Amino acid sequence: MILVDSSVWIDYFNGKITKQTNLLDSLLGGELIVIGDLILTEVLQGFQQDRDFNKAKKLLSALIFKQMLGRQLAIKSAENYRILRKKGVTVRKTIDVIIATFCIANNLPLLHSDRDFRPMEKHLNLKVIP
């Protein structure tokens, strides 16, 4: 099982060809892919056309769905944010720390195309799909 970040889904739905979108395309239907509530929101909110929104919602609804944030993970995400800040890392988006913390807690590798996850790989041992 892997978690796919919104950075990859957005590129995928926009038809952008990248190493990550090609990998996602090859994994769909063959690998168990997890989507979290926060990622689902990030991806779906970007669609302007109802037709595209409904098509994406249908595809994403077929994936394994997980709620990403509860009390324990909220606290752990704050701790991870503080660890990064103490190491001089400026976290641009709190949601990325939450996603990384969720992956770490659930031992899920992350497929992403967002440079903001790199310090989390280095300092928090986030597992990623190369």
Side-chain angles (χ1 to χ4, degrees):
M1 281 199 305
I2 66 166
L3 184 84
V4 178
D5 181 54
S6 55
S7 58
V8 177
W9 284 116
I10 290 167
D11 285 347
Y12 182 80
F13 284 120
N14 284 328
K16 187 174 179 183
I17 297 173
T18 66
K19 182 173 58 173
Q20 293 85 359
T21 58
N22 283 339
L23 180 57
L24 174 58
D25 197 44
S26 71
L27 294 173
L28 285 169
E31 176 76 32
L32 294 177
I33 297 177
V34 175
I35 189 157
D37 48 6
L38 301 175
I39 294 168
L40 183 62
T41 299
E42 280 189 315
V43 174
L44 290 178
Q45 72 187 4
F47 288 97
Q48 294 180 359
Q49 302 298 320
D50 290 343
R51 179 187 76 248
D52 297 333
F53 172 85
N54 289 323
K55 189 176 180 180
K57 184 173 70 169
K58 183 177 180 181
L59 171 70
L60 297 172
S61 294
L63 303 175
I64 298 167
F65 179 82
K66 299 284 186 181
Q67 292 182 349
M68 298 184 78
L69 191 62
R71 179 185 297 268
Q72 299 277 355
L73 278 175
I75 293 168
K76 186 61 180 169
S77 294
E79 290 170 352
N80 285 341
Y81 182 96
R82 295 180 72 245
I83 288 167
L84 293 169
R85 190 174 58 201
K86 286 178 184 177
K87 294 188 178 289
V89 175
T90 302
V91 176
R92 296 185 315 150
K93 295 178 271 176
T94 300
I95 196 167
D96 288 343
V97 178
I98 294 168
I99 291 167
T101 302
F102 175 83
C103 286
I104 294 163
N106 290 280
N107 199 31
L108 286 172
L110 178 66
L111 176 61
H112 71 87
S113 61
D114 185 339
R115 66 181 168 86
D116 292 329
F117 287 108
R118 288 188 198 128
M120 296 174 224
E121 293 174 46
K122 180 179 178 183
H123 300 296
L124 302 177
N125 296 317
L126 171 66
K127 294 178 187 169
V128 298
I129 305 294

